[in-house]
Amino acid sequence: MGNNAIKNDRIYTYADYLNWPENERWEIIDGVAYALAPPSTEHQRIVLNLSVEFATYLKGKPCETFIAPFGVTFAQNIKDENNTHVVEPDITVICDQSKITPKGCKGAPDLIIEVLSRATASHDVIRKRRLYENNGVFEYWIVDPSNQIITRFYMNDELSKYREAEYFVRDNTITPIIFPELEIKLEEIFPNTEEQD
């Protein structure tokens, strides 16, 4: 992310997020605004493949799956306009319907998935991982399209921090901790690189 993709001249809040032009997508972490780069075709294929797996499994169940752009704020005990965190995860799974609002999710989702792009890799791996861990997102997946790996984090028994990362490659099956019956074959998520030019 270049400097023109960051706004850090003052503290930005959810109120700013709501007032930015519709053709601009920004996230705010600790009051700093980060521009979201347009996603690649590969990124969108992976997001679609994963979201279909979750949406199909969750049909008729109380949990819901949302894809970006879908805003997530965390602090439920402060006024929205003062919130200095708002993100748009690639995929968000929410089981507590009271957290779903007309403008997105207020409070920690049960599962967040971010698909890396070159422009946002360090943002997703460092800033967002810390944000999600500190705000009680139970399970967080980082999808690396280049290496066809998913890194999974989930909370320890005390719900205080993430356990050590687990890694899943293209020929593995991944099962969400929150949905032990759902098995996702990663060869059906990642494109076959042998077929690409």
Side-chain angles (χ1 to χ4, degrees):
M1 287 185 148
N3 288 338
N4 60 346
I6 298 175
K7 293 183 181 187
N8 59 1
D9 54 311
R10 64 176 177 82
I11 300 296
Y12 287 88
T13 67
Y14 187 61
D16 295 305
Y17 170 83
L18 293 176
N19 288 312
W20 277 318
E22 284 193 19
N23 62 338
E24 292 183 26
R25 289 184 55 216
W26 294 82
E27 293 182 314
I28 302 170
I29 298 178
D30 292 325
V32 177
Y34 299 90
L36 292 172
S40 69
T41 301
E42 179 185 46
H43 177 283
Q44 293 301 82
R45 278 192 186 119
I46 292 169
V47 168
L48 178 62
N49 290 344
L50 278 169
S51 59
V52 165
E53 293 281 346
F54 281 94
T56 302
Y57 173 77
L58 292 174
K59 195 168 186 179
K61 296 182 174 71
C63 303
E64 282 189 77
T65 302
F66 297 90
I67 58 171
F70 179 79
V72 174
T73 58
F74 292 99
Q76 294 178 291
N77 58 345
I78 62 172
K79 291 182 179 177
D80 283 344
E81 60 267 24
N82 297 328
N83 199 321
T84 57
H85 300 298
V86 54
V87 290
E88 293 185 358
D90 289 313
I91 300 174
T92 305
V93 178
I94 305 164
C95 295
D96 181 348
Q97 293 289 312
S98 72
K99 293 180 179 179
I100 300 172
T101 75
K103 294 179 180 176
C105 175
K106 190 169 185 180
D110 297 85
L111 170 67
I112 284 178
I113 300 174
E114 298 282 10
V115 179
L116 299 181
S117 67
R118 286 189 182 91
T120 64
S122 64
H123 184 60
D124 292 337
V125 172
I126 299 168
R127 290 187 198 95
K128 284 185 160 182
R129 179 195 175 283
R130 188 182 311 127
L131 178 70
Y132 298 158
E133 182 177 43
N134 290 344
N135 284 280
V137 176
F138 182 79
E139 189 168 354
Y140 177 37
W141 296 6
I142 301 173
V143 182
D144 178 349
S146 301
N147 298 301
Q148 299 198 332
I149 294 172
I150 293 181
T151 305
R152 179 175 71 189
F153 298 95
Y154 66 99
M155 284 288 175
N156 62 11
D157 292 338
E158 295 79 35
L159 303 180
S160 61
K161 65 178 184 175
Y162 285 143
R163 299 168 191 261
E164 200 167 314
E166 298 173 324
Y167 302 92
F168 300 84
V169 297
R170 191 175 190 277
D171 59 358
N172 292 157
T173 296
I174 188 170
T175 299
I177 300 298
I178 60 170
F179 306 126
E181 309 87 22
L182 174 58
E183 295 184 348
I184 301 171
K185 294 179 180 175
L186 295 190
E187 64 184 12
E188 296 175 6
I189 301 303
F190 290 114
N192 187 343
T193 52
E194 293 171 7
E195 294 175 3
Q196 296 177 348
D197 295 333

